[in-house]
Amino acid sequence: MAALSRAASCLTRRPQMQPSRLQAARAMASSLFGHVEPAPKDPILGVTEAYLADPSPDKVNVGVGAYRDDNGKPLVLDCVREAERRIAGNLNMEYLPMGGSVKMIEESLKLAYGEDSELIKDKRIAAVQALSGTGACRLFADFQKRFLPDSQIYIPTPTWSNHHNIWRDAQVPQKAYTYYHPESRGLDFAGLMNDIKNAPDGSFFMLHACAHNPTGVDPTEEQWREISHQFKVKKHFPFFDMAYQGFASGDPERDAKAIRIFLEDGHQIGCAQSYAKNMGLYGQRVGCLSILCEDEMQAVAVKSQLQQIARPMYSNPPVHGALVVSIILNDPELKSLWLKEVKGMADRIIGMRTALKENLEKLGSSLSWEHITNQIGMFCYSGMTPEQVDRLTNEFHIYMTRNGRISMAGVTTRNVGYLANAIHEVTK
Ligand code: KET
């Protein structure tokens, strides 16, 4: 750095420097970053980049978990359009407080903890607006590192790939816990319970609240009760990542069931909420991080610390998406329109699951595709190998993550036949 600033001050003092010396100064400057190698492509967002670069008219993107309508187009919900109409020209774009929009947070807590939750009334929940679900997870991970520096985080196998990056960058050591059973394409409940029992008392566990990504496999209500009970015995801390509230059952209230079970059992919990998927506000980056505390005093302290983590990173969160969310959730009419639209998205995906399975069966595939319709949420964890996925991409211009995950949100009436045919070709 000292060399660079010397070179720079030299440049300002002597504007007519000889070209050779200028080149030398530039070389010195650029060599500062000479050791920087290109980062590996992101396993999910890298797929979108590759898709966009493909000129083929047949190309299909079932990579990223982003909803498309049946014409394959991104969808702006009607409730969002109406909220935006109300914002435009009427509301100002001042800074939000460091912790974000108070109204948006209030509404988010009702969605996650229940409309009439005593915990909200008792002000026991420390909550801040976050940069969507990713930002909420990251804030929590940083909080965990700062206040429980010796703790670890238990993460399911498999999980959303970015969970690993988030806790890695927050420097929280990661442990894996058993989740998926590849042979049965279902939950490895015995393995999961064993790992919960064998973790040191008071461990942090990251749980997918609903619509597990990438497997589409959730515990049943009964299993959640057993998990919650065992967490109680072990004094573990459950951190729920809820990126798909509404996409599992079509009803956000039902999709909060796992969280409600833990609340009934008296756990302290953490929760990351995102409006990317269920309001289609992907690029608005609006979400909420909440931590349920022992009492109001603790909640005030925790919230102030979360704000302190946010302040030097991004100061305060963006206002527009927060306005959209709070307008929709605050207005009974807009809220019921939203609920209808969430259900519409979930139902279209369910329809595409059936269509994909039927197409594969019609083609005479001898494999079982039952899991396509048994799994829930945005994704189908197909069981295809990385090599089969590579063939789909190279031979059929179908883009998806190499773990065999199909984003059902990108499947449409028009491309489902093409997709089924290609899957049949690479799996037969
Ligand atoms: N949690 C999970 C489980 C998740 O799948 C995502 C996004 C997020 C959090 C973050 O969403 P945000 O946009 O920050 O609110 N998953 C999709 C997109 C991505 O990878 O960023 C995906 O898996 O395709």
Side-chain angles (χ1 to χ4, degrees):
M1 248 0 214
L4 178 62
S5 59
R6 266 201 309 279
S9 73
C10 206
L11 281 170
T12 42
R13 265 188 281 120
R14 302 223 317 221
Q16 315 94 327
M17 203 193 329
Q18 297 299 313
S20 58
R21 289 194 59 198
L22 185 64
Q23 274 161 4
R26 280 207 182 124
M28 254 165 85
S30 67
S31 72
L32 259 185
F33 303 115
H35 62 292
V36 179
E37 302 279 344
K41 279 215 183 304
D42 184 82
I44 298 173
L45 300 184
V47 172
T48 306
E49 285 173 33
Y51 166 81
L52 290 173
D54 185 340
S56 166
D58 301 327
K59 65 182 177 177
V60 172
N61 187 5
V62 285
V64 69
Y67 185 80
R68 299 286 176 265
D69 65 17
D70 202 39
N71 296 313
K73 294 276 183 299
L75 181 66
V76 179
L77 300 185
D78 285 337
C79 59
V80 169
R81 288 192 194 284
E82 175 54 27
E84 289 196 306
R85 237 190 322 271
R86 294 185 194 178
I87 294 166
N90 293 314
L91 299 177
N92 69 56
M93 296 292 145
E94 266 295 311
Y95 287 134
L96 285 173
M98 282 179 282
S101 156
V102 174
K103 270 196 187 157
M104 194 282 294
I105 293 168
E106 236 173 66
E107 294 299 335
S108 301
L109 295 184
K110 285 194 227 159
L111 268 189
Y113 294 76
E115 187 78 29
D116 303 312
S117 166
E118 290 297 325
L119 304 164
I120 300 175
K121 287 183 198 135
D122 294 344
K123 300 193 166 63
R124 278 185 54 195
I125 309 168
V128 294
Q129 183 182 330
L131 303 182
S132 215
T134 308
C137 288
R138 181 59 196 270
L139 263 186
F140 180 79
D142 282 342
F143 175 83
Q144 185 187 344
K145 181 66 189 176
R146 189 167 291 188
F147 292 98
L148 291 129
D150 298 327
S151 65
Q152 305 174 325
I153 185 82
Y154 279 78
I155 291 182
T157 306
T159 194
W160 178 47
S161 51
N162 210 23
H163 282 142
H164 296 297
N165 306 330
I166 289 170
W167 271 274
R168 178 200 64 214
D169 278 10
Q171 296 178 27
V172 176
Q174 298 174 37
K175 289 271 172 152
Y177 70 84
T178 305
Y179 190 83
Y180 186 66
H181 189 254
E183 289 73 33
S184 67
R185 301 221 156 103
L187 183 68
D188 186 345
F189 186 60
L192 167 63
M193 290 304 280
N194 256 335
D195 288 350
I196 295 169
K197 284 178 194 158
N198 291 331
D201 285 8
S203 294
F204 284 77
F205 274 73
M206 205 286 304
L207 301 164
H208 294 234
C210 63
H212 183 275
N213 175 12
T215 66
V217 174
D218 283 358
T220 62
E221 208 178 303
E222 206 36 59
Q223 287 169 332
W224 274 123
R225 289 189 193 283
E226 284 187 51
I227 294 167
S228 171
H229 174 75
Q230 199 52 46
F231 266 58
K232 204 74 206 188
V233 173
K234 295 287 298 181
K235 303 185 175 64
H236 292 330
F237 183 91
F239 179 75
F240 288 97
D241 182 2
M242 184 155 61
Y244 299 92
Q245 188 177 8
F247 269 96
S249 69
D251 175 7
E253 189 59 27
R254 268 176 68 188
D255 287 359
K257 190 68 199 174
I259 289 182
R260 305 294 171 75
I261 288 171
F262 275 71
L263 294 177
E264 274 169 33
D265 287 350
H267 288 277
Q268 275 188 250
I269 70 161
C271 181
Q273 288 169 264
S274 163
Y275 292 100
K277 329 270 171 172
N278 61 11
M279 276 194 196
L281 295 174
Y282 301 88
Q284 293 289 349
R285 314 309 296 146
V286 52
C288 181
L289 167 66
S290 57
I291 300 177
L292 172 56
C293 299
E294 215 113 76
D295 53 34
E296 184 180 353
M297 220 169 75
Q298 195 178 82
V300 170
V302 168
K303 178 169 178 170
S304 71
Q305 292 293 349
L306 292 173
Q307 292 181 163
Q308 176 118 321
I309 295 171
R311 171 67 167 150
M313 253 200 293
Y314 55 85
S315 193
N316 45 69
V319 67
H320 187 81
L323 285 172
V324 171
V325 171
S326 53
I327 287 172
I328 292 170
L329 296 180
N330 230 331
D331 180 311
E333 238 170 77
L334 282 188
K335 186 170 174 189
S336 60
L337 174 59
W338 172 59
L339 292 173
K340 211 178 95 200
E341 293 190 281
V342 177
K343 178 143 189 355
M345 291 191 284
D347 284 348
R348 195 190 77 73
I349 291 177
I350 291 169
M352 284 304 123
R353 287 184 186 279
T354 309
L356 181 59
K357 181 170 150 252
E358 283 176 0
N359 271 277
L360 279 158
E361 286 163 355
K362 255 190 255 150
L363 287 162
S365 176
S366 57
L367 302 169
S368 164
W369 297 103
E370 283 303 316
H371 55 291
I372 298 179
T373 48
N374 289 341
Q375 293 166 351
I376 57 165
M378 259 199 186
F379 304 108
C380 163
Y381 203 45
S382 68
M384 281 187 285
T385 63
E387 292 69 33
Q388 289 169 336
V389 173
D390 289 345
R391 279 194 61 200
L392 282 183
T393 304
N394 297 333
E395 295 171 30
F396 298 93
H397 307 272
I398 292 169
Y399 290 82
M400 54 191 272
T401 53
R402 291 189 81 229
N403 61 0
R405 184 189 85 165
I406 301 168
S407 174
M408 293 305 299
V411 183
T412 64
T413 309
R414 257 182 64 191
N415 69 24
V416 68
Y418 180 74
L419 179 64
N421 180 57
I423 292 175
H424 180 51
E425 283 302 317
V426 304
T427 57
K428 73 184 179 192

